[in-house]
Amino acid sequence: MNNFIFKRLNVKEFYEAETKKLVENGHEFHLRLERTGYVIHTCNPQAIKEILLKGDKFPKYDYNTSNNEDGSFFHEFVGFENVLMTNGSTWKKHRMIVNPAFKTALPSRLFGDCTRDLFKLWDNEYANEPFDSDIHNITERLTLQIIGKAAFDFDFNAILDEKSIWKQTYDGINKAASDPLFILFPILEEKFLWLFPKRQQSFKLLNEWKKMLLSIIEKKREAIQNNVDHGVEEAEKDLLTLMIESEHRGEGALSNEELLSDLIIFFIAGHDTTAFALSAAIYYLAKHPDIQEKARQEAISVLCPNGEVDEDIFPTTEDTKHFVYINQIMKETLRINGSVLFLLSPRLVTQDVNLSGVFIPKGSQINVNIHEVHHNPNVWHDPETFDPDRWASNGEAEQLAGKGMAWVPFSNGNRQCIGMNFSLLEQRVILGSLLRKYEWTLPEDSIHQDYMVNKFNLIPKPIDLKIRFKRRY
Ligand code: HEM
């Protein structure tokens, strides 16, 4: 496990150095030492199904009671009392309020508006000339802008102004939260913070950001209390508004601090994940021009049924329902290079169990290794090959149904990602719009020629990924 810290291996190198051989030889359970202790990782689809569907037997590792991390940056950032990290009645209380909000919020117009801003940025910078884009910087800005507006109607101005103050603040916080030194040794900041002035600065930044968020929550409550209605249609309302409205319908209640913690989780869980999924899809389309062209023809046929026009058209939710092939590309991207390598919280084994013939004693911690099951050659045929046709009707993916859970980029069961449909719609709108307006390739000198080189992290990040774009109209 120390390989990624000390040798700085990328995701593929790490997988090859640590577990690929084991997985190939059918060893689908192995131990890793992590911040919570020894954790069993599994890439066996039957075991994964059992773990994810029997949530009561395998609750999430509880950071509130299992580990005293009071005072760590991580704790201050995510708060622990939120929909992602709690279990039992506390989790239900959060999920009751959050669920209806995510059922309603499918803001395809917002996704289109943010894509329009991106096109404006590129048109201003490059006019009709081909250009190289640091694509992950772009998808991060796009998804940050989207989650700010979608979560609580906050304008980061992240697309048109890369240096916008709140974007810089959020980037600083994010960087501090993923500092491996403090992730592995939280005691350093809990007990010896005075030794780390830069870390103290990060805490200050975090407090300012949280204060800003809290004041938005208070104002929003007041506006809803006073029936201030801006006439926004339901699907385009921000999540905070929908959550407070759900309280007003008597579906539960959360304090301002609890709402804040959930909003922060939407950022952590929803921004980098979707940015990575988009960057990866764009990368695979660059690597496979034939697949890109087929996807483009689908986007054109759905968005311009009466023939191509030289103007931007942003897909509606209804349009995206006809993106069959684009959907296959997104699914295959999430398989071969998913946004989450393994579950954020390991699960606790509450009684002795037998998982696919392997005895796991009560008290163990177990995690679903998403990356490994998606690359498991005993499950997927030729797993290192990008092939959207696996997802065609009667294709390989359909034939795997009934053999456990082999595709779990969003997890599954009652703790499945609550933002899944939101993120998938976001990706469809952005990819569909991009495909019509641009063609793109991978520059010849790219370090990603052989495979997508990603920094090893729970949510990976492409290293220096440039894509060459050319406008079509
Ligand atoms: C490609 C995009 C995304 C991927 C791959 C993804 C993946 C995941 C995964 C694997 C989990 C399970 C974590 C665990 O059990 O430890 C999860 C949970 C969660 N995700 Fe996502 N996610 C994505 C986008 C989003 C978005 C856009 C949001 C919100 C705006 C979001 C909000 C959440 C929340 C709140 C949970 C916790 C649900 C619960 O435990 O009840 N995610 N996500």
Side-chain angles (χ1 to χ4, degrees):
M1 190 65 184
N2 290 335
N3 263 335
F4 84 91
I5 297 174
F6 298 117
K7 297 190 188 159
R8 298 195 173 271
L9 299 183
N10 64 50
V11 172
K12 188 177 168 76
E13 288 169 342
F14 178 79
Y15 174 55
E16 284 175 355
E18 295 273 320
T19 42
K20 188 169 185 225
K21 280 260 152 354
L22 287 173
V23 175
E24 276 172 1
N25 291 328
H27 301 290
E28 294 174 325
F29 295 80
H30 57 266
L31 266 186
R32 288 189 182 178
L33 180 58
E34 299 179 355
R35 68 191 261 146
T36 58
Y38 278 100
V39 180
I40 303 163
H41 279 239
T42 182
C43 58
N44 173 294
Q46 287 296 355
I48 291 173
K49 184 173 176 189
E50 175 123 3
I51 294 165
L52 295 180
L53 292 192
K54 297 200 174 144
D56 289 349
K57 265 201 214 163
F58 301 95
K60 283 191 179 185
Y61 178 91
D62 189 341
Y63 288 87
N64 287 308
T65 55
S66 310
N67 206 349
N68 182 7
E69 294 199 3
D70 266 3
S72 71
F73 192 88
F74 187 67
H75 189 178
E76 287 296 312
F77 188 22
V78 300
F80 294 173
E81 283 273 328
N82 53 56
V83 66
L84 178 69
M85 301 177 76
T86 48
N87 283 309
S89 56
T90 313
W91 168 72
K92 280 196 183 121
K93 182 174 82 169
H94 283 265
R95 191 98 188 194
M96 266 177 62
I97 295 281
V98 176
N99 249 350
F102 273 95
K103 282 226 157 73
T104 309
L106 288 171
S108 52
R109 191 170 326 127
L110 168 68
F111 301 151
D113 287 348
C114 292
T115 314
R116 181 181 289 113
D117 276 351
L118 170 63
F119 291 177
K120 199 156 61 177
L121 176 86
W122 279 349
D123 282 350
N124 287 343
E125 280 187 22
Y126 309 109
N128 260 330
E129 294 302 311
F131 59 95
D132 284 359
S133 168
D134 176 352
I135 195 63
H136 198 59
N137 169 284
I138 291 294
T139 58
E140 279 186 336
R141 285 159 66 182
L142 199 49
T143 53
L144 181 65
Q145 179 68 14
I146 286 173
I147 199 69
K149 289 292 281 179
F152 54 96
D153 196 20
F154 181 77
D155 187 355
F156 275 94
N157 196 19
I159 301 170
L160 295 173
D161 178 10
E162 187 182 5
K163 303 209 165 18
S164 91
I165 179 75
W166 285 116
K167 177 180 182 319
Q168 302 245 351
T169 305
Y170 184 73
D171 286 349
I173 292 167
N174 226 353
K175 202 162 163 221
S178 51
D179 187 328
L181 178 71
F182 296 100
I183 288 182
L184 276 184
F185 308 107
I187 190 155
L188 289 179
E189 56 191 357
E190 290 159 25
K191 305 266 189 263
F192 306 102
L193 186 60
W194 50 276
L195 284 172
F196 302 96
K198 255 179 97 181
R199 198 70 178 165
Q200 288 168 24
Q201 191 57 29
S202 304
F203 272 90
K204 206 168 143 236
L205 217 58
L206 175 62
N207 285 333
E208 277 167 20
W209 191 62
K210 284 171 69 173
K211 233 163 76 189
M212 184 274 285
L213 285 182
L214 264 179
S215 82
I216 292 183
I217 294 174
E218 281 155 16
K219 284 197 194 116
K220 189 76 78 184
R221 271 202 195 283
E222 219 176 278
I224 293 171
Q225 194 73 39
N226 296 331
N227 281 324
V228 179
D229 182 354
H230 299 289
V232 181
E233 66 194 83
E234 288 294 297
E236 299 285 335
K237 279 183 176 171
D238 64 77
L239 292 160
L240 175 59
T241 299
L242 291 166
M243 283 156 74
I244 298 173
E245 285 181 354
S246 151
E247 284 187 1
H248 285 209
R249 288 194 301 270
E251 289 162 1
L254 295 176
S255 69
N256 285 356
E257 280 67 26
E258 287 169 325
L259 282 173
L260 172 67
S261 193
D262 283 336
L263 286 178
I264 290 178
I265 285 301
F266 301 160
F267 272 83
I268 296 172
H271 158 230
D272 287 339
T273 46
T274 307
F276 183 77
L278 281 167
S279 299
I282 292 167
Y283 165 78
Y284 285 107
L285 291 173
K287 281 275 296 173
H288 301 278
D290 50 330
I291 296 177
Q292 184 183 141
E293 192 46 36
K294 189 169 168 191
R296 177 166 302 109
Q297 290 312 318
E298 178 175 81
I300 293 170
S301 73
V302 172
L303 298 175
C304 312
N306 300 321
E308 265 216 82
V309 285
D310 286 354
E311 65 189 60
D312 299 334
I313 300 172
F314 299 98
T316 61
T317 305
E318 194 50 41
D319 291 331
T320 64
K321 291 182 185 154
H322 305 287
F323 285 173
V324 177
Y325 190 61
I326 293 174
N327 229 18
Q328 288 177 216
I329 292 168
M330 285 162 46
K331 283 186 163 174
E332 178 64 351
T333 301
L334 286 163
R335 182 197 67 78
I336 197 165
N337 244 319
S339 309
V340 180
L341 295 182
F342 42 85
L343 298 179
L344 172 68
S345 314
R347 301 320 201 233
L348 283 175
V349 181
T350 56
Q351 50 188 268
D352 291 350
V353 280
N354 190 305
L355 292 177
S356 270
V358 175
F359 173 74
I360 313 282
K362 176 181 171 181
S364 311
Q365 294 177 40
I366 193 157
N367 202 330
V368 171
N369 199 305
I370 300 171
H371 186 80
E372 283 172 14
V373 71
H374 289 179
H375 287 257
N376 188 338
N378 305 310
V379 177
W380 294 97
H381 173 70
D382 198 4
E384 305 306 325
T385 298
F386 180 79
D387 178 10
D389 288 341
R390 293 179 204 273
W391 300 94
S393 120
N394 279 328
E396 185 186 5
E398 247 177 56
Q399 282 153 30
L400 282 173
K403 296 185 182 159
M405 287 178 175
W407 186 78
V408 281
F410 296 98
S411 181
N412 208 308
N414 63 349
R415 304 304 296 259
Q416 185 176 43
C417 174
I418 206 166
M420 180 174 81
N421 290 333
F422 180 98
S423 174
L424 291 173
L425 180 63
E426 182 177 355
Q427 293 174 47
R428 285 180 202 118
V429 170
I430 295 171
L431 289 173
S433 315
L434 271 178
L435 280 161
R436 270 203 65 240
K437 181 145 184 164
Y438 298 94
E439 284 166 5
W440 59 91
T441 50
L442 195 62
E444 273 167 20
D445 59 354
S446 172
I447 61 163
H448 300 269
Q449 280 295 346
D450 290 342
Y451 63 94
M452 193 179 174
V453 184
N454 300 313
K455 193 171 159 200
F456 187 96
N457 213 344
L458 176 63
I459 302 169
K461 232 181 204 304
I463 299 167
D464 190 24
L465 177 59
K466 300 274 191 314
I467 298 286
R468 186 157 299 159
F469 285 91
K470 193 171 124 224
R471 248 175 72 169
R472 298 184 60 249
Y473 55 81

